[in-house]
Amino acid sequence: MTNETRPGSSGRHPEPVDGGSEFNRQVVAEFRANGGAVGGDLAGLPILLLTVVGARSGEPRTTPLVYLPDGGRLVVFASNGGADRDPAWYRNLVAHPEVTVEVGAERHPALATPVDPAEHDALWARQIAVRPQFADFRSTVRTVPLVALTRV
């Protein structure tokens, strides 16, 4: 696999050339070019970039995600659009919980930890209250993991 470093709004960021969907690559580029702002269907949503190390490849993988602020942490939802399986970024951070988070023009290391089951439903309810479309992303086959990103 080939990696190259592409410039971003807050310095140089490792970005896999051959990883992720074309849509995600475009969102990542737009996010970095505009200090965290994106347009289209994602305009106005709280978006972060999550960079994780691939569980098998060892290569960095960056994914744009909607997040929910929760005190000093950011919560992301491994809904995979309501699919019956976890998204690749979740499987990667389970293997390598030390991640990089970009919010706006700021970039920092974080620790990714699964949300305590006691908090799970309350966080889903908060997310649905602010983003009703998330109600469609709850899977009937699996419990969607929620992940807290805490700055280190």
Side-chain angles (χ1 to χ4, degrees):
M1 295 188 163
T2 303
N3 258 9
E4 69 181 38
T5 303
R6 297 182 186 161
S9 61
S10 60
R12 297 182 67 81
H13 303 280
E15 183 64 35
V17 174
D18 57 349
S21 71
E22 182 58 29
F23 176 81
N24 280 357
R25 285 192 293 276
Q26 289 176 359
V27 172
V28 168
E30 182 180 8
F31 183 102
R32 289 179 174 158
N34 297 306
V38 296
D41 292 341
L42 301 178
L45 293 176
I47 302 288
L48 62 76
L49 299 184
L50 178 67
T51 301
V52 299
V53 173
R56 290 182 297 218
S57 71
E59 299 292 332
R61 302 285 183 231
T62 301
T63 304
L65 298 169
V66 172
Y67 69 91
L68 177 70
D70 185 56
R73 63 189 189 168
L74 306 175
V75 176
V76 292
F77 301 76
S79 64
N80 205 12
D84 294 342
R85 62 186 160 88
D86 295 332
W89 64 262
Y90 177 75
R91 293 188 305 271
N92 289 336
L93 72 75
V94 167
H96 302 283
E98 297 82 14
V99 300
T100 301
V101 174
E102 296 172 60
V103 177
E106 185 180 337
R107 180 175 192 250
H108 60 83
L111 182 62
T113 55
V115 167
D116 186 284
E119 296 180 276
H120 189 276
D121 289 345
L123 287 166
W124 259 114
R126 281 185 46 211
Q127 181 67 352
I128 290 169
V130 294
R131 306 278 172 245
Q133 66 270 30
F134 267 72
D136 296 335
F137 298 154
R138 292 191 84 169
S139 174
T140 58
V141 175
R142 66 184 176 95
T143 299
V144 173
L146 305 187
V147 177
L149 305 171
T150 306
R151 186 183 200 129
V152 292

